[in-house]
Amino acid sequence: MNTVINSSELSPRIVSDRSQIDELRWFQVNRYVEGGLLDELPAALDNDPSVDHSTYFGVFNGDEIQATARIVRATTGLPMLQHHPIYPNIVERLERAHGSVAEVSRLAVVSESPHYSALALLSREFLRFGLRNQHATLL
């Protein structure tokens, strides 16, 4: 039986230290393997040029990662648009709002965590970050 973590023990924060960012990236990769999105665990993290244009968020229970996601603020376009087709009218809207658009990606939540609590905390941090830093109004 999986234990459920008390959501009052969860604390969200922005992660800026590169070694901690890599921990979040490994957490995400491991969750993708566990969830069947990846067939096997890679030997190393992929070379991701978006890391330098991203703000990483983590939800922690003490020192243990419970959830992660990032906001990508790419100057040459959003990475999502290079990998996934979306409706043309949405692409047009994103292009019109070029200066105020950012991509939320690499979402991963530990299976024992109350998912909605972790997602709510991540969403709150995205909004707080956007308001304080005025980086993006469309995520």
Side-chain angles (χ1 to χ4, degrees), residues 1 22 49 55-56 68-70 77 86 94 108 115 125:
M1 177 178 192
D22 286 347
T55 301
Y56 282 80
T68 186
R70 69 180 182 180
I86 60 175
L94 293 174
H115 292 71
E125 290 306 303

Side-chain angles (χ1 to χ4, degrees), residues 122-138:
L122 281 173
S123 298
R124 184 184 74 194
E125 290 306 303
F126 295 155
L127 293 172
R128 182 179 299 168
F129 178 81
L131 289 172
R132 285 186 179 160
N133 298 290
Q134 298 179 356
H135 284 293
T137 56
L138 182 58

Side-chain angles (χ1 to χ4, degrees), residues 7 77 93 96 124:
S7 62
R93 181 175 179 202
R96 283 195 308 271
R124 184 184 74 194

Side-chain angles (χ1 to χ4, degrees), residues 12-130:
R13 66 177 180 257
I14 294 173
V15 175
S16 55
D17 177 74
R18 183 56 191 248
S19 65
Q20 291 177 334
I21 288 171
D22 286 347
E23 287 179 35
L24 293 175
R25 294 179 67 208
W26 274 117
F27 171 83
Q28 175 258 323
V29 169
N30 278 297
R31 288 297 300 132
Y32 285 12
V33 170
E34 290 170 13
L37 295 172
L38 294 174
D39 292 331
E40 62 184 272
L41 194 62
L45 289 170
D46 65 332
N47 180 21
D48 182 354
S50 297
V51 171
D52 294 333
H53 305 288
S54 300
T55 301
Y56 282 80
F57 297 82
V59 174
F60 298 85
N61 181 9
D63 290 334
E64 291 184 38
I65 302 169
Q66 301 298 304
T68 186
R70 69 180 182 180
I71 295 178
V72 180
R73 203 76 185 143
T75 55
T76 59
L78 302 174
M80 172 188 73
L81 299 178
Q82 298 167 7
H83 304 290
H84 304 287
I86 60 175
Y87 293 112
N89 60 335
I90 300 298
V91 173
E92 291 171 12
R93 181 175 179 202
L94 293 174
E95 288 172 352
R96 283 195 308 271
H98 175 71
S100 61
V101 175
E103 175 182 318
V104 176
S105 65
R106 305 290 172 113
L107 173 67
V109 180
V110 70
S111 58
E112 295 85 23
S113 178
H115 292 71
Y116 293 115
S117 296
L119 291 173
L121 288 170
L122 281 173
S123 298
R124 184 184 74 194
E125 290 306 303
F126 295 155
L127 293 172
R128 182 179 299 168
F129 178 81

